[in-house]
Amino acid sequence: MEIRRLIEGRASSDIISCALDIPVREAIALLASKRIGAIPVTEHGKVVGVFSERDVIYRLADEGDACLSRPLGDVMTAPAITVNRDTPVLEALALMTRRRIRHLPVVDGGEMCGFISIGDLVKARLDEIQHEAEAMREYIQTA
């Protein structure tokens, strides 16, 4: 299965993102209000980084609350690690595991067309495994 199947039916306009220059405090409020763990950071429509809960924790540990007034571009994880629509789910899972990240912008022709979490990928993989198991049970019962 490819990433394109995961983002089918999702409008890219529904992706919550932030600009480079907003204060960290505002981005944290957005994460909390939307109950999400990360936000893609964009500049001129291009993904330039990802701001996540981990970025908040690391900066607070290093700088204290002074980091809350800094622009998002100073504290985000950059450059953004991305995938495209044709990336297989297992490849995206391996990338997330290897890079120790939990969110990936999906990019097509330089433009962001989706934003997926490790939860999206795990659910897709579990659904696929369940479908394969059902097909195997049916095959065994009819053989």
Side-chain angles (χ1 to χ4, degrees):
M1 178 188 311
E2 296 174 339
I3 298 299
R4 78 175 57 257
R5 289 202 36 212
L6 297 181
I7 63 172
E8 275 178 2
R10 295 183 188 179
S12 57
S13 60
D14 290 341
I15 301 169
I16 298 164
S17 64
C18 288
L20 281 169
D21 58 349
I22 75 159
V24 169
R25 179 177 279 108
E26 286 181 33
I28 292 171
L30 184 59
L31 289 174
S33 70
K34 300 295 183 180
R35 300 186 55 82
I36 55 177
I39 306 171
V41 181
T42 59
E43 181 179 41
H44 308 297
K46 307 282 185 210
V47 179
V48 293
V50 173
F51 178 71
S52 73
E53 299 158 323
R54 288 181 181 177
D55 295 315
V56 174
I57 301 234
Y58 297 152
R59 291 302 177 150
L60 283 172
D62 288 345
E63 303 172 24
D65 65 357
C67 73
L68 300 176
S69 300
R70 294 184 61 193
L72 207 53
D74 289 354
V75 300
M76 68 183 182
T77 300
I81 299 165
T82 64
V83 292
N84 62 50
R85 293 175 194 258
D86 298 325
T87 303
V89 166
L90 288 177
E91 186 178 314
L93 275 169
L95 175 63
M96 288 177 146
T97 301
R98 189 172 58 253
R99 298 300 298 265
R100 299 180 55 93
I101 57 175
R102 292 182 273 160
H103 298 85
L104 287 170
V106 182
V107 178
D108 185 24
E111 300 292 321
M112 184 171 51
C113 59
F115 193 62
I116 57 173
S117 71
I118 198 160
D120 296 326
L121 298 175
V122 168
K123 181 185 180 313
R125 186 63 183 130
L126 288 173
D127 289 347
E128 192 174 39
I129 290 168
Q130 183 176 3
H131 177 72
E132 290 170 0
E134 287 172 13
M136 184 64 76
R137 277 191 288 277
E138 186 176 312
Y139 173 77
I140 290 169
Q141 289 173 352
T142 60

